[in-house]
Amino acid sequence: MSDAPQIAQKAPFPVDLVEGKTYFWCACGQSKSQPFCDGSHKGSDFSPTKFTAEATKTAYLCGCKHTANAPFCDGSHKTL
């Protein structure tokens, strides 16, 4: 795996989050369970981003893996 994450998709993943639940967002782009980690980063320099949902709502998680606001989309995919 290279130093840059693999682009899973050039759009965010809309996900229904549950308040208080902990999630692990895939940072490497290799997971088959996008946008969540499935352990595919093992052996690389990547590790998932752990976060706890602050509210029950639909969130837009980064699909390009280049966001500056992980795990949330910040529009970075528009420049890739």
Side-chain angles (χ1 to χ4, degrees):
M1 190 177 294
S2 68
D3 295 333
Q6 177 177 311
I7 298 169
Q9 68 178 26
K10 289 186 179 181
F13 289 96
V15 176
D16 294 324
L17 301 179
V18 177
E19 182 177 356
K21 185 174 178 184
T22 299
Y23 299 89
F24 292 87
W25 173 77
C26 168
C28 73
Q30 299 286 330
S31 176
K32 302 288 188 258
S33 302
Q34 291 294 338
F36 301 110
C37 177
D38 70 359
S40 293
H41 64 277
K42 298 267 191 278
S44 75
D45 292 333
F46 292 98
S47 59
T49 299
K50 178 181 178 181
F51 71 101
T52 301
E54 295 178 2
T56 296
K57 66 177 183 179
T58 300
Y60 295 87
L61 303 187
C62 176
C64 75
K65 311 303 176 183
H66 287 77
T67 183
N69 189 31
F72 304 101
C73 176
D74 69 358
S76 292
H77 60 274
K78 295 175 184 171
T79 63
L80 297 174

